Amino acid sequence: GAGVSQSPRYKVAKRGQDVALRCDPISGHVSLFWYQQALGQGPEFLTYFQNEAQLDKSGLPSDRFFAERPEGSVSTLKIQRTQQEDSAVYLCASSSTGNVETQYFGPGTRLLVL
Amino acid sequence: AQKITQTQPGMFVQEKEAVTLDCTYDTSDPSYGLFWYKQPSSGEMIFLIYQGSYDQQNATEGRYSLNFQKARKSANLVISASQLGDSAMYFCAMRDPTGNQFYFGTGTSLTVIP
């Protein structure tokens, strides 16, 4: 079946531009996570949704970062006024409810801010 | 505070041999979940294996097994009969039971030598 998809796969932005990153989770998956992965590092948690509710946004690094999932399926991570330190791979993951809430990851969006 | 520690930045293993990737974790909660993911050069995180803190037996999934030593707070990944396709980054992760966050280590780069 279809896995988690993300678009665009690559994004180059000029410093100060706004960007929007899209995540299509696996159909029926209740939970959705966003992570930021800097080069050579492990993913770092940004935010978590359960259906349309954003239950945890403690990992968002600044108020320039905003995420939404209005209908409980597709999610968008928006970064306003991008800075060079925002350059990273942004990973989206989804999981169903169950005893083992394993996350299934998308291929990521590689963002480069010049 | 660092919750997941992977002390091996890089590992080499001969094809068909077994290799152990180390992971230690830090939590005061008795209920938690431990995961291992593989990230090939394509960037997608692939779930390998899960161990619950209350599981009595070590988890196994095909050639992957998890050496879970609760008292030592370690969850090492053992890959048996290494294959060239096993060359990738490997990340240990822990799910925080008090929230919905996953904490990842910094990863181990595994290279399988023919």
Side-chain angles (χ1 to χ4, degrees):
Chain A
V4 178
S5 61
Q6 293 186 246
S7 61
R9 291 293 312 276
Y10 303 91
K11 178 70 178 178
V12 179
K14 291 183 179 179
R15 190 172 53 184
Q17 279 185 333
D18 298 348
V19 298
L21 312 179
R22 178 188 169 105
C23 172
D24 281 86
I26 293 173
S27 178
H29 275 194
V30 170
S31 301
L32 187 146
F33 304 79
W34 281 99
Y35 293 88
Q36 180 189 62
Q37 186 176 20
L39 189 65
Q41 300 295 316
E44 291 202 6
F45 169 83
L46 293 177
T47 187
Y48 163 69
F49 289 87
Q50 190 173 89
N51 296 308
E52 69 278 4
Q54 189 175 20
L55 299 186
D56 191 330
K57 55 181 180 179
S58 61
L60 296 176
S62 76
D63 58 7
R64 297 186 295 104
F65 287 71
F66 172 76
E68 60 183 4
R69 194 186 185 197
E71 297 179 358
S73 56
V74 171
S75 178
T76 303
L77 176 67
K78 297 179 179 178
I79 309 173
Q80 297 176 326
R81 304 180 304 281
T82 52
Q83 304 293 316
Q84 286 185 326
E85 61 262 28
D86 299 335
S87 296
V89 175
Y90 290 85
L91 293 166
C92 174
S94 71
S95 69
S96 61
T97 54
N99 292 330
V100 178
E101 296 193 33
T102 305
Q103 300 174 94
Y104 295 91
F105 282 80
T109 294
R110 189 176 298 274
L111 173 65
L112 178 62
V113 181
L114 302 176
Chain B
Q2 185 74 19
K3 291 188 176 283
I4 294 287
T5 302
Q6 293 181 256
T7 58
Q8 305 157 315
M11 290 283 287
F12 292 87
V13 64
Q14 203 75 36
E15 193 178 7
K16 300 181 185 178
E17 297 293 315
V19 64
T20 297
L21 307 184
D22 295 342
C23 172
T24 57
Y25 58 92
D26 180 29
T27 182
S28 57
D29 201 294
S31 177
Y32 50 88
L34 296 161
F35 302 80
W36 277 92
Y37 288 87
K38 172 184 178 181
Q39 188 176 44
S41 56
S42 60
E44 190 163 348
M45 299 283 280
I46 302 167
F47 166 73
L48 296 177
I49 196 166
Y50 165 82
Q51 179 85 43
S53 59
Y54 293 120
D55 293 345
Q56 295 296 313
Q57 293 188 334
N58 287 345
T60 60
E61 288 286 348
R63 295 186 298 112
Y64 305 108
S65 60
L66 201 152
N67 184 2
F68 182 44
Q69 299 189 40
K70 196 169 182 177
R72 294 185 178 184
K73 294 189 176 180
S74 74
N76 298 340
L77 176 70
V78 180
I79 305 175
S80 63
S82 297
Q83 302 172 357
L84 295 178
D86 293 336
S87 294
M89 284 291 291
Y90 288 81
F91 290 96
C92 180
M94 179 175 67
R95 177 161 186 160
D96 186 343
T98 64
N100 287 292
Q101 297 194 21
F102 277 67
Y103 300 97
F104 284 81
T106 52
T108 296
S109 176
L110 176 67
T111 302
V112 180
I113 304 168

